[in-house]
Amino acid sequence: MTADATRVLVLNSGSSSLKYQLLDMNGGTRLAVGLVERIGEPASRLVHTPLAAGGEKREREERMADHDAALKAVADELSADGLGLDSPELAAIGHRVVHGGLKLTEPTVIDDAVLKEIERLVPVAPLHNPANITGIRTAQRLRPDLPQVAVFDTAFHSTMPEYAARYAIDVETADAHRVRRYGFHGTSHAYVSRETAKLLGKQPEDVNVIVLHLGNGASASAVAGGRCVDTSMGLTPLEGLVMGTRSGDIDPAVIFHLERNAGLSSDEIDELLNKKSGLIGLCGDNDMREIRRRIDEGDKRAALAFDIYIHRLRKYIGAYTAVLGRVDAVAFTAGVGENAAPVREAAVLGLEEMGLAVDARLNAERSDKARIISPEYARVAVAVVPTDEELEIANQTYALVSA
C-alpha cells in the first residue's frame, strides 16, 4: 500500500440492494455515498451523492440484473466524480458481513478460507450472509489486486462470557449445530460505546455503558470497560427488544402452539415472527413518527404498541444495570434512538432511583451531534450518540491494511 492510498470503499450488500460509502481516512472525510436498490428487478434505482466535489445528488433508473451490474454502475458514478475504483488512492474495500461465528471475531482480510467460513455460517444467517458473499465476490472480480476486508456484525459481542452466550439447552446438541447467542449490530455498539466514553471525557476501559441501538431492527448491549458482556440479540437478530417487524423475546412454545393449533408451517411462523410482528404486527405501522401521530389522535392500538415497545426497553435497561453493577451512561442511537425524543423520555421515566433522568429541554433539541440529555444532578448520564457504522468499518479496514 502506497502512502497516497488513504481511501476506503465500504460496501453493505443486501439481497437486492447495495449501500456504499467512499471515505478518505486522512481525516475520515466522506467523499461519496449512495444506494442501489431493487437489484434484479425490471427497474433498479441508483442514488449517488458526491460529497467531496460539492456535487448534487444524481439518480438513475435502469435494470441492473445482479450485483456485478450494480457495482459497475457505482464504479461509473464514482469515476464521473474523479473517484474511480481504479484510483491508486484506494487502499481497500471494507465489507459489512453480518455473521462471523466464533472463528471470525476480528476484521479479516478475505481469502478463500475466509469466504468458505462465511459460507459455512449461512444456516445461522440465511438472509444476510449469502448477500454479503455476493458483494465480496463482485468486488473481487472488479479489483482482484485490492485487499478486501470483512468486518463482522457479531465480532464486538464475541467477548461475552460463556454464561451470557450459551442457552440452557443440551450442550452436545448446541455445539453440533452452533446454537448460542452471537449478537448483532456490533459495529454500531462498538462505535457508540467508544464515542460515549469520549463524550464523558474518559477512556473506554474506564466506562460502563448500556447502548440502545433503536432502528427498525433494535438491540441493546451491556459494555463494561469497552468490552461487550451481554447483548439482546441471540442466535439470530430476532431475539430481544420489540422491533419494527420482529417480535423480539417470545416463549419458544408459541411456535409449537401455532404449528399444532393454527396449522402454520415453520416457514410461515418464521415470516410471522420476523416480518409481521413487532410494531407492525401490533398496530400496522413500524414508523415511530406515524405511531406517535396516531397516539396524539387518540389511537388506542398505537398507544398499546408504544407501551409494549417501551416496557421491553425498560426491562433491558434494568437487566443490564444489574449485569454491569455500575452504569456510567445509557446511550441512545440509530434512527429511533437518535430522533424520537418521546421514546427516550418514556424509556427512563420513573427510573430516578437508578440514577436515570432526562432534561425535557435538552431531550427535545434536535442535533446530529453526540450530546448528553440528562440533568446535571443525574447519577447516570443519558446520551444521544449518532452511530456511524460505515466509519467504523472503514476505520477497522484501514487499520488492518495499514498494519
Side-chain angles (χ1 to χ4, degrees):
M1 190 177 85
T2 67
D4 293 333
T6 59
R7 295 176 183 171
V8 173
L9 177 65
V10 175
L11 298 180
N12 182 353
S13 302
S15 58
S16 61
S17 66
L18 176 66
K19 296 178 185 176
Y20 63 93
Q21 289 197 18
L22 180 66
L23 300 96
D24 190 330
M25 304 316 296
N26 186 12
T29 307
R30 279 177 178 73
L31 304 177
V33 302
L35 165 69
V36 186
E37 53 189 355
R38 303 195 296 266
I39 297 171
E41 297 181 20
S44 308
R45 177 171 173 261
L46 188 157
V47 180
H48 173 83
T49 305
L51 300 174
E56 295 183 358
K57 180 170 69 175
R58 303 193 294 267
E59 297 188 27
R60 56 194 269 197
E61 289 200 13
E62 61 188 69
R63 175 167 167 73
M64 299 178 200
D66 50 30
H67 282 72
D68 268 324
L71 191 51
K72 285 172 184 173
V74 170
D76 289 343
E77 294 295 333
L78 291 170
S79 293
D81 301 316
L83 303 169
L85 295 191
D86 57 351
S87 169
E89 295 178 72
L90 189 60
I93 298 177
H95 298 266
R96 177 192 180 226
V97 179
V98 166
H99 217 307
L102 294 179
K103 292 184 178 179
L104 301 174
T105 60
E106 300 286 344
T108 306
V109 175
I110 300 166
D111 57 19
D112 288 344
V114 171
L115 263 177
K116 284 180 181 176
E117 182 62 18
I118 296 171
E119 202 158 37
R120 193 178 72 87
L121 291 163
V122 166
V124 290
L127 299 178
H128 299 94
N129 273 29
N132 302 153
I133 292 166
T134 298
I136 291 167
R137 287 182 170 148
T138 298
Q140 285 178 327
R141 282 193 289 271
L142 278 183
R143 282 299 305 268
D145 59 312
L146 204 63
Q148 312 272 337
V149 174
V151 177
F152 301 94
D153 258 18
T154 50
F156 182 64
H157 305 303
S158 65
T159 57
M160 282 192 293
E162 281 291 283
Y163 57 75
R166 279 196 176 271
Y167 292 109
I169 66 172
D170 173 68
V171 171
E172 285 75 19
T173 302
D175 288 349
H177 299 282
R178 302 188 294 280
V179 176
R180 61 184 288 121
R181 305 183 64 251
Y182 294 98
F184 300 89
H185 294 148
T187 51
S188 177
H189 287 278
Y191 178 85
V192 170
S193 60
R194 284 202 314 274
E195 289 298 303
T196 302
K198 189 186 298 183
L199 190 62
L200 298 180
K202 298 180 179 181
Q203 294 299 314
E205 56 266 27
D206 298 325
V207 175
N208 288 357
V209 185
I210 297 173
V211 178
L212 303 172
H213 177 108
L214 308 179
N216 193 49
S219 59
S221 67
V223 183
R227 293 167 62 85
C228 177
V229 295
D230 206 349
T231 192
S232 58
M233 287 179 168
L235 173 70
T236 75
L238 181 60
E239 187 181 355
L241 302 176
V242 174
M243 302 176 226
T245 66
R246 299 180 195 138
S247 65
D249 291 339
I250 194 168
D251 181 348
V254 169
I255 297 168
F256 314 133
H257 176 81
L258 291 174
E259 281 181 334
R260 293 167 185 150
N261 296 285
L264 297 182
S265 68
S266 59
D267 286 343
E268 288 171 326
I269 296 172
D270 190 300
E271 183 175 9
L272 170 70
L273 297 181
N274 277 288
K275 298 180 180 179
K276 297 179 180 179
S277 296
L279 291 172
I280 206 162
L282 290 167
C283 71
D285 269 311
N286 63 336
D287 187 320
M288 188 58 72
R289 293 165 297 187
E290 182 63 16
I291 291 171
R292 290 302 308 176
R293 185 194 65 78
R294 287 172 55 184
I295 291 171
D296 291 341
E297 293 178 353
D299 188 312
K300 291 183 179 180
R301 277 189 67 189
L304 177 60
F306 183 81
D307 289 345
I308 293 171
Y309 181 94
I310 294 297
H311 178 69
R312 186 78 55 81
L313 191 54
R314 287 161 61 88
K315 282 176 68 174
Y316 269 91
I317 293 172
Y320 286 171
T321 297
V323 166
L324 290 170
R326 186 199 84 240
V327 178
D328 299 297
V330 173
F332 290 86
T333 193
V336 174
E338 293 169 30
N339 298 298
V343 169
R344 298 191 295 260
E345 179 184 16
V348 302
L349 186 65
L351 302 184
E352 289 83 4
E353 289 296 320
M354 292 168 57
L356 289 161
V358 298
D359 180 291
R361 180 184 60 82
L362 295 175
N363 188 38
E365 290 178 358
R366 297 187 67 85
S367 173
D368 59 359
K369 305 294 184 183
R371 60 202 187 277
I372 292 173
I373 61 170
S374 48
E376 289 185 9
Y377 65 78
R379 189 171 73 253
V380 178
V382 179
V384 181
V385 181
T387 190
D388 199 332
E389 294 175 89
E390 289 77 16
L391 179 59
E392 179 71 11
I393 292 169
N395 280 333
Q396 293 190 27
T397 297
Y398 191 66
L400 181 61
V401 299
S402 297

